Amino acid sequence: MSLLKEPDFGTPARAGDAGVELTIDGTTVAVPPGTSVMRAAAQAGCEVPKLCATDSLEAFGSCRLCVVEIDGARGTPASCTTPVAPGMVVRTQTEKLGRLRRGVMELYISDHPLDCLTCSANGDCELQDMAGVTGLREVRYGSGVDAGANHMDLLTDTSNPYFEFDPAKCILCSRCVRACDEVQGTLALTIEGRGFDSKVSPGAGGTFMESDCVSCGACVQACPTATLQEKTVVELGMPTRSVITTCAYCGVGCSFKAELRGSGDSTELVRMVPYKDGGANEGHSCVKGRFAFGYASHPDRVLTPRVRDSIADEWREVSWEEAITHTARRLRAIQAEHGTGSIGAITSSRCTNEEVYVVQKMVRAAFGNNNVDTCARVCHSPTGYGLNQTFGTSAGTQDFASVDDADVIMVIGANPTDAHPVFGSRMKKRLRQGARLIVADPRSIDLVRSPHIEAAHHLALNPGTNVAIVNAMAHVVVTEGLVDREFVDARCENIDEWEAFIADPAHSPEAVEEITGVPAAEVRAAARLYATAGNAAIYYGLGVTEHSQGSTMVMGMANLAMATGNIGRSGVGVNPLRGQNNVQGSCDMGSFPHELPGYRHVSDGSVREVYEQLWGTPLLDEPGLRIPNMFDSALDGSFRALFVQGEDIAQSDPNISHVHAALAALDLVVVQDLFVNETAKFAHVLLPGTSFLEKDGTFTNAERRINRVRPVMAARTGKQEWQIVCEIAQAMGYPMHYDDAAQIMDEIALTTPTFAGVSFAHLDAVGSVQWPCTTERPEGTPIMHVDGFVRGKGRFVVTPYVPTRERSNRRFPLILTTGRILSQYNVGAQTRRTANVAWHPEDVLELHPHDAEVRGVADGDRVELASRVGTTSLRAKISDRMPVGVCYTTFHHPVSGANVVTTDNSDWATNCPEYKVTAVQVTPSTALTAAAPAHEQTSVGAGRG
């Protein structure tokens, strides 16, 4: 398509029926109460000139270009700040208004560089457009550097790696400041000074990189001139066409306009602009999705297949035909020697639904077994188990917009502002509007206290005690008579057994205070706040699931929500914040060894029959191997070959030494990825993957939203990933072919009830849908369990607290927990190959000042981090964000190797690793070497979800 220009109505839409009728330039229009005259005029087809107004921000009324005449009103009011009224008669184009607007434009242009023809924003500048709209032909006032006081000698700030700030072109519309406040919620920008000395300022540091700016791009998008401009636009020129696609980073699933120049092999991606009609992001973005796309063209990309006989050998580049034939021949030979179950595959949450679907189909139909698992095993598998047991479906209950109706928000084991920043911004907006916040996290995350936000309760619990906390909160609900009896009696079962269990004094806040470290009074207050809110919502992350009791905790949160009636409407729910872009989708597509697509057990004969008839081959009714079982079986010799789709298990999985030993024991490791990652060191075949810019398919985000992923450019490898998988299956003797990715989705819809109404054509028409999407619900299901639970009645489950086996002692007295940082993504394969390393060049170990002092560690010192299973070295950062006895690190850089020290303890139900609780010791390091620069670090692939 050509360059997509989305309409801008000047001010935000207002909710409600279009009950206010008015006349604008002779046209009658009806709009909801509270709508601005400017927006009503735009809806009537009467565009009013504007500079300070844009429909992503509340009206400001500073530019004075949007003045109109209203019958019976004095003067010429600003249309952006004037609300409509019944019977109002408005004129937007009169001689008087024209004179006023030209006068305003003269003032702007008199203090603005007249370099339009050479300006990077030429053709995409609202100031330039408005000069034309107002008919400005001359400037009577002085202009240029020698014509009196002006701002044209101000220096450009180029400190940010992705955009530059040229104050000489600033018109002080405040759109950037307001975008930082209203959309992003960081409040990093301000207007400094008064009158002629007024200027946009990024704070005391003086530059954008020294400020609190998080480089989300909201200010750049809001800027109407070239004051804030992407460096890629400055370097490459303005884009000429757009493709709407979906971000391939976190589980928010933001929609973007990929804006391009050129065609064919000369196609250049100029910028990624968040799409206003994106259901998940509504025009907002973060630094990763907005700017960190350069990895797709990084010289490290593997573009040609490689094979070798032994991992000690050098790689040989081969043709696709040879690579596929070799892979299929080796897989068949291994099965012939070691049995049908001796091979398997791991799918990736970075890949599309269609790519994941064909891998699990290859395993079941071509391999003849159920040995398929996914990286969700090591992140959100407890979500699937716990929500399925209680609600009957393995997914979150709400859409993201639901948070706008929450009165109380409880964030447990999640850090939305770093890991899910676009949703985090939406949550912060709701909190600033008055919603109350409860944070349950050992660490003091940004949400605990940030500009205009402070948590009502921070439950700084000891790592590993989540279940004890949620049981204590439920105990308060039950024993203080806060159960929603009407909801529970009508819609739930097993309530009597659960209430008898939870009412036991052993679960009281006072009884568990010593276990959790949280004062009983604080727990009671938080429980009362949650239970008595009009709408209370739970949002949780890997700090819930990556524990030995991850599944128990998910069920505990579901119990709490059901007991208080916080299910089945907007503003409530139990909401997992998925890590990678398609964690939800990879689970939906049947990537687990015990489930076919749609979370249906392999033992269900009626479900197997659907696939057996379609696929033309019998399917096994027994679950296959999970990822940990694959590793153990590789070491005992019964599992011999592994296909790894876009997942770097040698970097991202726990107890790395064990994983490396298992991979080294395999006869064949096939890796499909963008780069030579840590797992590829153990591979015999390396198949090049495609970046999201080359994919055609769908991703499913954390709110069950199915978004189209459209190819921005042709696959640089010459093949789509699903094609490669199909060709391997065919070379093994199983016929498997699709003409395009749309056919794969058609098969998914044909066989998976929750996807029955999904097709590429439908998604292209409506934008996106949230499953279940069926013929009865063609627009999807934003809120689950409205009239009843998927399983019929919600089921209360008894959730005993069982302490983790991982305990601190004299040798390992500290507890390590891990997480993410805003600028980096998982183990960094993508983001480390972009300028995002400017913010996070290495992983650091956060230590409480007390723990650092007793160990003789100063801020910036290198330290050794040792656990029962391994040792690594990091730089220390002294911080009081952790309680005494707890330390914290990220896992984005392979040289730090956080998973060298994590153990193989795991969730009792799903084998999800216990990444969040590792007993460690920290000592000053004797090593003299620092971390390698980012460009020298070992390449790694996707990390845990």
Side-chain angles (χ1 to χ4, degrees):
M1 64 167 64
S2 59
L3 195 64
L4 176 61
K5 293 282 191 179
E6 297 170 87
D8 189 336
F9 294 93
T11 61
R14 300 303 181 204
D17 297 329
V20 179
E21 193 172 277
L22 66 158
T23 301
I24 303 177
D25 292 343
T27 300
T28 300
V29 61
V31 295
T35 301
S36 70
V37 169
M38 174 180 283
R39 188 177 183 95
Q43 291 179 211
C46 308
E47 294 290 340
V48 179
K50 61 185 185 297
L51 278 174
C52 72
T54 183
D55 59 14
S56 63
L57 305 172
E58 292 298 328
F60 194 57
S62 71
C63 76
R64 308 310 297 173
L65 268 188
C66 72
V67 290
V68 294
E69 292 183 278
I70 300 174
D71 284 2
R74 296 177 58 188
T76 52
S79 62
C80 65
T81 56
T82 303
V84 297
M88 181 181 277
V89 177
V90 181
R91 287 180 296 281
T92 70
Q93 306 296 329
T94 68
E95 185 177 346
K96 176 183 179 180
L97 294 173
R99 288 196 307 270
L100 290 172
R101 290 167 181 164
R102 282 191 295 275
V104 170
M105 282 305 304
E106 275 192 275
L107 292 172
Y108 278 121
I109 297 300
S110 69
D111 192 15
H112 196 83
L114 300 178
D115 61 350
C116 290
L117 292 180
T118 57
C119 178
S120 60
N122 186 24
D124 189 37
C125 173
E126 293 179 44
L127 186 69
Q128 185 182 53
D129 294 341
M130 290 304 104
V133 167
T134 59
L136 183 66
R137 296 295 179 263
E138 61 177 348
V139 178
R140 294 170 293 172
Y141 312 112
S143 62
V145 295
D146 298 321
N150 58 60
H151 299 89
M152 295 185 213
D153 60 348
L154 298 178
L155 299 178
T156 301
D157 177 1
T158 60
S159 62
N160 190 285
Y162 292 121
F163 59 83
E164 58 184 38
F165 171 59
D166 184 356
K169 295 181 178 179
C170 180
I171 63 172
L172 288 173
C173 64
S174 292
R175 276 164 60 165
C176 60
V177 177
R178 291 182 286 140
C180 191
D181 293 0
E182 297 176 27
V183 179
Q184 168 57 29
T186 298
L187 289 82
L189 304 179
T190 188
I191 300 293
E192 181 182 287
R194 296 178 64 83
F196 185 80
D197 295 325
S198 298
K199 63 179 181 180
V200 172
S201 171
T207 69
F208 272 79
M209 279 300 281
E210 293 171 316
S211 74
D212 292 331
C213 170
V214 294
S215 297
C216 68
C219 60
V220 180
Q221 189 172 2
C223 182
T225 69
T227 305
L228 285 158
Q229 184 70 280
E230 298 95 336
K231 290 182 176 179
T232 50
V233 173
V234 176
E235 296 165 2
L236 301 175
M238 287 301 302
T240 58
R241 60 191 177 90
S242 308
V243 176
I244 299 171
T245 191
T246 303
C247 179
Y249 281 115
C250 78
V252 175
C254 296
S255 297
F256 279 88
K257 296 182 295 181
E259 296 191 344
L260 308 132
R261 288 172 59 89
S263 60
D265 293 338
S266 62
T267 296
E268 292 178 308
L269 177 57
V270 178
R271 63 185 177 189
M272 296 287 286
V273 179
Y275 186 41
K276 286 166 61 174
D277 284 343
N281 59 317
E282 298 179 358
H284 191 34
S285 60
C286 79
V287 62
K288 296 188 287 292
R290 182 70 157 90
F291 298 115
F293 53 82
Y295 71 89
S297 56
H298 196 278
D300 285 354
R301 278 283 301 272
V302 176
L303 302 176
T304 305
R306 304 177 186 183
V307 300
R308 58 185 176 182
D309 295 329
S310 164
I311 61 174
D313 297 338
E314 294 295 321
W315 289 108
R316 291 186 298 113
E317 290 193 351
V318 298
S319 67
W320 275 114
E321 182 180 4
E322 181 177 347
I324 289 166
T325 301
H326 173 81
T327 299
R329 183 175 62 249
R330 291 288 296 122
L331 289 169
R332 287 198 309 268
I334 289 169
Q335 282 189 305
E337 181 177 354
H338 298 283
T340 301
S342 61
I343 66 175
I346 297 173
T347 70
S348 173
S349 294
R350 285 191 300 160
C351 293
T352 65
N353 288 319
E354 295 73 18
E355 291 166 337
V356 170
Y357 179 86
V358 296
V359 170
Q360 64 86 31
K361 180 177 179 179
M362 174 181 71
V363 171
R364 295 189 160 103
F367 290 8
N369 61 50
N370 286 319
N371 293 338
V372 61
D373 208 350
T374 180
C375 63
R377 170 70 56 206
V378 300
C379 65
H380 266 288
S381 51
T383 287
Y385 180 87
L387 294 184
N388 188 56
Q389 292 295 309
T390 51
F391 298 161
T393 189
S394 302
T397 61
Q398 317 292 117
D399 61 356
F400 289 146
S402 170
V403 77
D404 298 345
D405 295 320
D407 300 306
V408 168
I409 299 168
M410 184 154 63
V411 177
I412 307 179
N415 189 1
T417 56
D418 274 10
H420 304 87
V422 170
F423 176 70
S425 292
R426 186 165 199 154
M427 181 183 287
K428 287 193 294 183
K429 184 175 183 178
R430 179 59 188 148
L431 292 169
R432 290 192 178 101
Q433 291 170 344
R436 307 290 298 282
L437 175 66
I438 302 166
V439 174
D441 198 298
R443 189 166 172 258
S444 181
I445 62 173
D446 287 344
L447 283 177
V448 171
R449 184 185 294 245
S450 58
H452 304 291
I453 291 174
E454 184 171 4
H457 303 283
H458 177 207
L459 310 181
L461 70 168
N462 294 325
T465 63
N466 287 340
V467 173
I469 278 283
V470 78
N471 282 349
M473 292 183 70
H475 176 90
V476 174
V477 170
V478 169
T479 58
E480 294 190 5
L482 300 177
V483 174
D484 185 336
R485 290 293 169 191
E486 182 178 354
F487 181 91
V488 167
D489 291 345
R491 297 191 51 183
C492 303
E493 63 185 16
N494 206 37
I495 179 67
D496 294 339
E497 180 185 359
W498 177 76
E499 280 193 304
F501 162 79
I502 210 70
D504 190 310
H507 299 126
S508 70
E510 291 75 17
V512 302
E513 181 174 331
E514 186 175 350
I515 296 170
T516 66
V518 182
E522 191 75 4
V523 176
R524 285 192 177 275
R528 291 166 185 153
L529 178 61
Y530 175 84
T532 59
N535 290 326
I538 296 173
Y539 293 89
Y540 70 94
L542 304 186
V544 160
T545 56
E546 291 180 343
H547 285 276
S548 59
Q549 280 201 287
S551 294
T552 308
M553 180 59 180
V554 172
M555 293 186 291
M557 293 184 299
N559 290 339
L560 186 63
M562 287 188 293
T564 54
N566 282 303
I567 289 289
R569 62 183 185 277
S570 186
V572 299
V574 180
N575 306 285
L577 295 175
R578 305 286 192 168
Q580 295 193 77
N581 52 297
N582 203 33
V583 170
Q584 183 67 60
S586 67
C587 299
D588 298 341
M589 292 300 102
S591 289
F592 289 122
H594 65 291
E595 288 176 336
L596 289 157
Y599 305 99
R600 294 165 295 169
H601 203 277
V602 294
S603 63
D604 189 327
S606 61
V607 176
R608 284 201 320 279
E609 184 179 3
V610 170
Y611 290 99
E612 288 173 341
Q613 290 184 358
L614 183 65
W615 294 351
T617 187
L619 302 180
L620 294 183
D621 60 358
E622 290 291 331
L625 299 176
R626 297 175 175 181
I627 291 174
N629 306 137
M630 293 179 186
F631 296 154
D632 292 342
S633 297
L635 290 171
D636 71 23
S638 59
F639 187 71
R640 308 303 306 172
L642 180 62
F643 179 96
V644 184
Q645 178 195 41
E647 188 62 26
D648 194 4
I649 54 178
Q651 172 66 22
S652 64
D653 281 33
N655 195 354
I656 290 299
S657 298
H658 178 71
V659 176
H660 289 186
L663 291 171
L666 292 170
D667 296 332
L668 178 67
V669 176
V670 181
V671 170
Q672 186 176 48
D673 214 314
L674 302 177
F675 307 107
V676 178
N677 58 31
E678 294 296 291
T679 306
K681 293 179 180 179
F682 300 91
H684 306 87
V685 179
L686 181 56
L687 304 173
T690 53
S691 75
F692 81 106
L693 297 173
E694 302 150 49
K695 294 182 185 296
D696 188 12
T698 56
F699 292 150
T700 306
N701 75 351
E703 54 173 354
R704 295 171 283 104
R705 185 181 301 277
I706 306 164
N707 268 319
R708 281 284 279 119
V709 184
R710 297 178 179 88
V712 173
M713 56 190 68
R716 297 182 64 198
T717 63
K719 285 184 182 290
Q720 291 291 330
E721 292 188 29
W722 59 264
Q723 290 178 293
I724 299 163
V725 172
C726 289
E727 290 176 14
I728 291 173
Q730 291 183 121
M732 292 183 72
Y734 176 74
M736 188 165 154
H737 172 79
Y738 302 94
D739 293 333
D740 52 36
Q743 284 190 351
I744 305 174
M745 177 51 73
D746 290 344
E747 183 172 310
I748 295 167
L750 179 66
T751 58
T752 310
T754 50
F755 278 68
V758 182
S759 68
F760 281 17
H762 184 54
L763 295 175
D764 291 342
V766 303
S768 63
V769 296
Q770 291 167 265
W771 67 257
C773 175
T774 62
T775 53
E776 295 79 19
R777 292 178 176 268
E779 301 300 314
T781 311
I783 308 294
M784 295 285 285
H785 318 299
V786 173
D787 300 317
F789 288 94
V790 171
R791 67 181 306 277
K793 286 195 171 186
R795 177 171 173 256
F796 281 91
V797 179
V798 170
T799 54
Y801 166 65
V802 179
T804 173
R805 293 185 302 165
E806 184 71 1
R807 308 288 182 86
S808 59
N809 57 22
R810 292 181 63 185
R811 184 179 177 191
F812 302 106
L814 302 177
I815 293 294
L816 172 72
T817 188
T818 62
R820 294 176 175 148
I821 201 164
L822 172 64
S823 63
Q824 295 296 320
Y825 175 66
N826 288 348
V827 292
Q830 293 138 285
T831 44
R832 284 188 298 101
R833 291 180 170 87
T834 71
N836 279 30
V837 293
W839 289 279
H840 190 70
E842 62 177 331
D843 292 318
V844 297
L845 183 72
E846 291 188 21
L847 278 173
H848 189 276
H850 171 78
D851 293 325
E853 182 178 359
V854 299
R855 288 165 176 78
V857 173
D859 192 66
D861 286 355
R862 291 201 69 80
V863 296
E864 284 191 358
L865 178 69
S867 74
R868 293 178 174 90
V869 299
T871 303
T872 188
S873 176
L874 303 95
R875 200 176 304 280
K877 179 180 179 181
I878 311 306
S879 169
D880 59 4
R881 290 163 68 96
M882 287 75 53
V884 174
V886 178
C887 54
Y888 172 88
T889 190
T890 52
F891 52 92
H892 304 302
H893 293 266
V895 292
S896 60
N899 288 328
V900 170
V901 300
T902 53
T903 70
D904 55 8
N905 293 336
S906 65
D907 174 50
W908 63 271
T910 66
N911 284 132
C912 183
E914 191 172 46
Y915 288 113
K916 303 303 184 187
V917 184
T918 304
V920 296
Q921 177 60 290
V922 176
T923 55
S925 176
T926 57
L928 298 179
T929 56
H935 68 278
E936 295 178 4
Q937 292 178 1
T938 307
S939 302
V940 296
R944 55 186 188 261

